[in-house]
Amino acid sequence: MSKDGKSRRKGPSLSARVDRERPIGSFASLKVELSVLIIISTAIAFVMAWFLLKMGWSGWIAMPLTLVVALGITYFFSRGLTAPLRQMRDAAEAMADGDYTVRVHATTTSHDEVGLLAQSFNEMAEELQHADQMRRDMVANVSHELRTPVSALQAMVENMADGVTEPTPANLEGILEQTHRLSDLIAFLLDLSRMEAGAASLQIEDFDFGDFIDETLQPLAIADAGHAHDIQVDLEKGLRMEGDQDRLRQLFTNVISNALKHSADGTTVLIQAHEDRQQETIVTNVVNFGSQIPPEARTDIFRRFVKGKAGPGTESGGTGLGLSIARWAAQLHGGQVQVVDDPRGADFEITLPRYHRDPDEDEGDGDGSGGPDAPH
């Protein structure tokens, strides 16, 4: 029997045991359950005392015996009520030792404060386990991403130093390419540290959105020259917006480069943008034709260190940080980036407010008015 199979059988048995231990744990409030416990204990004690006295027992014997029975009943039921608390204590101790797989097998019928606390505890344990796994993946991913360009640089430089290869423009171009790869990885890690620290400083300015897209595409088109992608741009004329161009360039560079990486050579990548005047937003769609992203994976791809599957595109995977940083940059501007249904292919839709407004100003502005004259 596999370990997973054992855990699957163990879980239901523990839950069933907790159900048996908490016979009055199905009420919606712990106070109600304690009240019921007191009523049951008092009623049993009263009936038992009355019966023993009627049978002719001495009060000096009947009353202590009744008290012992009442205390035993109270202990039995109260132990069941606090069973999830004991499990949480043991689980917390295990988590303190680094085991984030433990869970509280709370009763399936418990809706009181203790049951809800057990459910919240399990949700917290899930998040901690995920964070711990992401930390482990980060070490492995960063080590792998650093090792490849460093090893290539070391080999190239050693060959030149030993006279095996000449410092030709082509060889120097290879060294420069690996240096750029290292620089990109370091930039990704710095952005990740800003995300963790909650850094959100923005340099807001008004700019022409068409010019911004053209400037963003220039280095991407040069880097993609060997893969013959047809990058088509279809923008509504006269689009302008307010935002931090550096942060927004991170957003669009990561999304567009992701589309290029996962598109087969010679295929088309389409960039469309228009203004939603009702919502005062600019909506941009980046579509790479032919490929699709399953609906169940559309949220996970924006998580840190989640890499795309290998495919026919120019590259597979990467650092696993690009789309996470893109989402962060969009959220800094009060926007969002998501994958939407599109029969043409994988469609990343970026929605950004046309006019920047600070969150503090939005909270203090009772009428919620905005527009081009709003302070920023």
Side-chain angles (χ1 to χ4, degrees), residues 26-236:
S26 58
F27 292 95
S29 172
L30 184 61
K31 293 184 290 185
V32 174
E33 292 170 352
L34 292 175
S35 300
V36 172
L37 174 59
I38 294 173
I39 293 173
I40 292 175
S41 300
T42 303
I44 293 177
F46 176 80
V47 172
M48 184 175 179
W50 173 81
F51 179 77
L52 293 178
L53 291 174
K54 189 173 183 180
M55 293 294 294
W57 286 47
S58 170
W60 293 103
I61 299 176
M63 296 307 295
L65 181 60
T66 301
L67 180 61
V68 170
V69 172
L71 289 175
I73 294 172
T74 303
Y75 176 79
F76 172 76
F77 283 102
S78 62
R79 181 175 175 81
L81 290 176
T82 58
L85 296 177
R86 293 193 299 276
Q87 290 188 37
M88 279 185 272
R89 177 201 61 196
D90 297 337
E93 292 176 353
M95 292 170 65
D97 293 333
D99 182 8
Y100 298 104
T101 62
V102 291
R103 297 294 182 270
V104 177
H105 298 277
T107 172
T108 56
T109 59
S110 177
H111 303 290
D112 59 12
E113 292 85 350
V114 176
L116 295 177
L117 177 62
Q119 295 175 19
S120 299
F121 185 93
N122 285 337
E123 292 174 1
M124 179 194 69
E126 289 281 355
E127 290 299 323
L128 289 175
Q129 183 180 8
H130 174 71
D132 182 65
Q133 186 61 44
M134 290 298 100
R135 178 183 61 81
R136 297 173 186 271
D137 291 345
M138 180 187 70
V139 174
N141 290 338
V142 171
S143 298
H144 172 75
E145 295 294 334
L146 284 172
R147 182 176 63 247
T148 301
V150 168
S151 299
L153 281 173
Q154 181 179 357
M156 292 176 182
V157 174
E158 285 180 350
N159 288 338
M160 289 184 183
D162 295 339
V164 177
T165 58
E166 296 293 330
T168 61
N171 292 332
L172 293 176
E173 182 68 24
I175 294 177
L176 182 61
E177 180 179 349
Q178 296 301 326
T179 304
H180 285 164
R181 186 174 179 182
L182 277 175
S183 178
D184 290 341
L185 178 60
I186 293 172
F188 276 140
L189 295 176
L190 289 175
D191 288 333
L192 177 62
S193 67
R194 295 190 185 101
M195 293 170 62
E196 295 288 352
S201 59
L202 298 175
Q203 301 296 324
I204 304 301
E205 56 183 322
D206 180 86
F207 58 91
D208 183 275
F209 189 75
D211 294 341
F212 167 80
I213 291 295
D214 289 340
E215 294 172 2
T216 302
L217 284 176
Q218 286 178 2
L220 293 176
I222 294 173
D224 187 67
H227 302 284
H229 285 123
D230 181 18
I231 304 177
Q232 297 182 2
V233 180
D234 180 15
L235 305 181
E236 182 179 316

Side-chain angles (χ1 to χ4, degrees), residues 52 183 187 207 225 227 240 289 314 351 356 374:
L52 293 178
S183 178
F207 58 91
H227 302 284
R240 299 191 67 85
F289 292 84
T314 56
T351 304
H356 177 77

Side-chain angles (χ1 to χ4, degrees), residues 156-367:
M156 292 176 182
V157 174
E158 285 180 350
N159 288 338
M160 289 184 183
D162 295 339
V164 177
T165 58
E166 296 293 330
T168 61
N171 292 332
L172 293 176
E173 182 68 24
I175 294 177
L176 182 61
E177 180 179 349
Q178 296 301 326
T179 304
H180 285 164
R181 186 174 179 182
L182 277 175
S183 178
D184 290 341
L185 178 60
I186 293 172
F188 276 140
L189 295 176
L190 289 175
D191 288 333
L192 177 62
S193 67
R194 295 190 185 101
M195 293 170 62
E196 295 288 352
S201 59
L202 298 175
Q203 301 296 324
I204 304 301
E205 56 183 322
D206 180 86
F207 58 91
D208 183 275
F209 189 75
D211 294 341
F212 167 80
I213 291 295
D214 289 340
E215 294 172 2
T216 302
L217 284 176
Q218 286 178 2
L220 293 176
I222 294 173
D224 187 67
H227 302 284
H229 285 123
D230 181 18
I231 304 177
Q232 297 182 2
V233 180
D234 180 15
L235 305 181
E236 182 179 316
K237 293 183 178 180
L239 286 181
R240 299 191 67 85
M241 70 173 294
E242 297 175 353
D244 186 324
Q245 290 197 60
D246 291 335
R247 287 284 173 255
L248 291 176
R249 187 162 285 111
Q250 283 181 307
L251 164 59
F252 284 91
T253 296
N254 290 342
V255 172
I256 296 171
S257 63
N258 179 78
L260 294 172
K261 287 178 182 178
H262 294 88
S263 298
D265 291 355
T267 57
T268 299
V269 173
L270 174 63
I271 302 170
Q272 293 179 311
H274 68 276
E275 180 184 359
D276 185 337
R277 290 175 173 78
Q278 183 177 1
Q279 300 294 328
E280 290 190 336
T281 59
I282 291 180
V283 181
T284 307
N285 295 86
V286 179
V287 187
N288 57 308
F289 292 84
S291 63
Q292 289 286 355
I293 300 175
E296 62 273 11
R298 293 179 181 179
T299 301
D300 290 339
I301 61 174
F302 291 98
R303 301 175 75 172
R304 300 171 196 171
F305 304 110
V306 174
K307 296 186 178 184
K309 295 182 180 179
T314 56
E315 294 182 34
S316 297
T319 61
L321 291 172
L323 291 179
S324 178
I325 292 173
R327 182 179 62 176
W328 168 65
Q331 291 173 345
L332 285 181
H333 288 78
Q336 63 176 354
V337 54
Q338 60 184 338
V339 180
V340 297
D341 292 329
D342 192 330
R344 298 175 297 179
D347 186 346
F348 284 78
E349 184 173 272
I350 305 168
T351 304
L352 296 168
R354 184 176 179 185
Y355 307 107
H356 177 77
R357 289 184 61 85
D358 293 328
D360 293 340
E361 293 178 355
D362 289 334
E363 293 176 1
D365 197 356
D367 59 5

